[in-house]
Amino acid sequence: MVLKYVYLLTCLISLTELIIYYEKTSHNLNKNFLLLYITTLFSNFGCSILIFSETLQVALIGNLISYLGSIFTIYFMLIVISGMCNKKIPSYARGILFVYALFNSFMIGTVQFNTLFYKEIDIIKYHGITIMKNTKGIGFIIYILYLVIINISAISIIIYTIIQRHKVSRRVLYSLLGIILFGTSAYVIPISFGSNLNIMPFVYILLQTYFLHFSIKASTYDLAGNLMNVYKQRGGYGYITFDNKKHLLGYDSFAENLFPNLKKISIDSYIPKKYTKLIENLHYNDKNWDWLENCNKDFQISSNNKFAICTIHLMTSGKKTIGFLFELRDNTEQQNYIKGINSFNKELAKMVTEKTLQVTSMEDSIIRGMATMVESRDNSTGGHILRTSDSIKIFAEELLKHKNEVSGLSQEFCTLLVKAAPMHDLGKIAVDDSILRKPSKFSPDEYEKMKEHAAKGAVIVQEVLKDTTDSDFRRIAVNVAHYHHEKWNGEGYPEHLRGTDIPLEARIMALADVFDALVSKRCYKDAFSFDQAFEIIRQDLGKHFDPIVGEIFLQCRPQIEQYYINMI
């Protein structure tokens, strides 16, 4: 009698695991997993009916339900296994197997009317349970052949995946292979000894439990797959992912180009000690550098003459930490620029006399390149450096017509200002990506951090130009970076300078900077029309802007408008 309720328990366990699977994976439900759980429940339910039956008629109904569930359980098991191995069964092969399964179902459903599947059939009691006593027909051999095809296909897919070292956990593959072989043995051995006792419900529970564990953990692997698609669409970006035990979960082509040895490491395994370059760059076994403590902090990595900025992010599922994402951002070009600048500064003293024009041209190119790289980190200000620099050129030509009205104006001053203009936002290189690339308006705290770019920019420009022999250029460039957000009425930042205490170059830069911000679309606003932008500037003369310099800027309206129209 106890055995009878053990079989009933398998049915209840199947139902419980089906519910658990649905609840745990409802956000990313896999239809093949779901059908596998449903057919397993169906098979175990039919087996329970058979076990509790008292008549042949009821036993046949239970046997039919049990076989129907089993036939489609192993069908969907094959599809699930191929998916776990990143293999796709051709549609024609799935169609043939499905028709084969329907044919087997037809034979079992008609056992009362022919001797195709069972030649003779009866029921007997065994330890308080009802079991089928039968003599197998040719239809049963056809059914066994179906099982053989399914099992050989599943085993072949698993072994092929192990040999080919595809991006699937070898630990998962070995355990899956063991369970399939165990399940096959559990069916074949009792039949070989002539036993009619059905132990498959217990095997199905084992399989169901294993697939439940995998399907819940699969969210980690799916995350890595989804991230791959995201980063493929973003040039110069990549990722490497690990679980919370530092097993490798996945990576993309960018990471593989940076660290070719990644493709030699099995998924779901540790990084071997022999890959020292990879271990050192990722601080993999560094006892003094904990991944958790250094989350969301940028650090430099390099390999194969390539450079990248790396940031570690936690991967979570609900409130549980499930792993680490190493976000990689290409930094090779910027490092080459920095190397170029250092080399340029060393040679400048030797070559300044004979190659002044050539050096100046190179310096201008590097300055604009650096400014453009900084701007490329900012989601909302694309083209700002180019437009403001060109606007300053137009503005400078008009300013020279009013040298007598504005103290400090000269041809040399305007030339140096045009050269320095691209460096006015260089301080943004020190602003955190989470703020600079935010696709919406800043919070008050974020805005305060963003405002720090002016003072930091002055320090960076001072450092970049420390070896230049042109002290006037260095002074103008530093002032442009430092004070272009100051206001005439003293309400600007970072020093709250007022009136003519603000350097002339910064007062000029402020007009071009604000105008471009007004007529450009940003994540937090639409672009203003030219009429609106010039009217805002007019109203802010004597408040935000130098009233005299501002009036001259307004006189440039036709040339500036035409320039922006041509840029569209």
Side-chain angles (χ1 to χ4, degrees), residues 210-221:
Y210 173 79
F211 285 125
L212 178 62
H213 169 75
F214 177 85
S215 61
I216 293 174
K217 188 176 180 181
S219 60
T220 305
Y221 298 96

Side-chain angles (χ1 to χ4, degrees), residues 7 28 74 81 153 214 250 286 372 421 475 514 532 543 556:
Y7 274 92
N28 191 26
I74 61 171
I81 289 173
S153 299
F214 177 85
D286 192 340
T372 301
R475 173 182 53 80
V514 171
Q532 290 173 314
K543 300 175 185 176
C556 300

Side-chain angles (χ1 to χ4, degrees), residues 155-401:
I155 292 170
S156 299
I157 289 172
I158 296 170
I159 293 175
Y160 177 78
T161 305
I162 292 172
I163 294 173
Q164 293 298 312
R165 291 179 172 267
H166 288 294
K167 294 181 180 180
V168 181
S169 168
R170 294 171 72 85
R171 184 169 53 188
V172 169
L173 293 173
Y174 284 127
S175 60
L176 183 59
L177 181 62
I179 287 177
I180 298 300
L181 292 175
F182 171 75
T184 303
S185 302
Y187 185 79
V188 172
I189 292 175
I191 291 178
S192 301
F193 285 95
S195 173
N196 289 315
L197 184 65
N198 186 2
I199 65 170
M200 288 310 294
F202 306 102
V203 176
Y204 288 151
I205 288 297
L206 179 62
L207 280 169
Q208 200 172 6
T209 303
Y210 173 79
F211 285 125
L212 178 62
H213 169 75
F214 177 85
S215 61
I216 293 174
K217 188 176 180 181
S219 60
T220 305
Y221 298 96
D222 289 343
L223 175 59
N226 292 333
L227 284 169
M228 178 177 287
N229 294 329
V230 172
Y231 282 106
K232 278 181 179 178
Q233 299 172 17
R234 300 176 66 186
Y237 281 78
Y239 77 91
I240 307 173
T241 54
F242 298 87
D243 66 15
N244 53 12
K245 295 182 179 179
K246 292 192 173 183
H247 296 119
L248 179 66
L249 295 182
Y251 52 88
D252 70 347
S253 57
F254 180 90
E256 188 176 305
N257 288 333
L258 194 62
F259 299 110
N261 285 330
L262 280 171
K263 60 186 177 184
K264 300 178 182 179
I265 304 172
S266 297
I267 297 300
D268 207 25
S269 64
Y270 294 106
I271 297 178
K273 293 181 179 179
K274 62 182 179 179
Y275 299 131
T276 55
K277 190 74 174 177
L278 185 57
I279 289 172
E280 289 173 3
N281 272 279
L282 302 182
H283 300 278
Y284 189 74
N285 287 326
D286 192 340
K287 297 179 180 178
N288 299 318
W289 208 94
D290 185 79
W291 285 2
L292 276 172
E293 293 177 359
N294 288 278
C295 278
N296 303 313
K297 296 179 182 178
D298 292 348
F299 60 96
Q300 185 87 25
I301 62 176
S302 62
S303 179
N304 295 324
N305 296 319
K306 298 174 185 175
F307 299 87
I309 296 173
C310 183
T311 309
I312 304 176
H313 302 283
L314 278 179
M315 296 193 301
T316 60
S317 178
K319 296 182 179 180
K320 182 180 179 182
T321 298
I322 60 174
F324 300 89
L325 164 70
F326 282 68
E327 180 187 11
L328 307 174
R329 306 188 297 281
D330 190 8
N331 195 38
T332 303
E333 186 176 355
Q334 185 170 349
Q335 288 298 315
N336 289 337
Y337 267 114
I338 292 172
K339 288 181 180 180
I341 291 172
N342 292 336
S343 176
F344 166 76
N345 286 336
K346 290 177 182 178
E347 295 295 325
L348 182 61
K350 299 178 183 179
M351 303 175 63
V352 65
T353 303
E354 59 188 42
K355 294 189 175 182
T356 302
L357 293 176
Q358 178 183 353
V359 168
T360 301
S361 175
M362 289 173 61
E363 186 179 67
D364 291 344
S365 175
I366 291 172
I367 288 170
R368 182 163 291 222
M370 287 180 62
T372 301
M373 282 192 297
V374 173
E375 183 182 61
S376 69
R377 295 176 63 235
D378 189 339
N379 283 334
S380 64
T381 59
H384 176 72
I385 295 296
L386 174 63
R387 294 192 299 271
T388 52
S389 298
D390 289 343
S391 295
I392 288 292
K393 289 181 183 178
I394 296 170
F395 193 8
E397 292 177 5
E398 187 65 29
L399 282 167
L400 288 174
K401 300 176 184 178

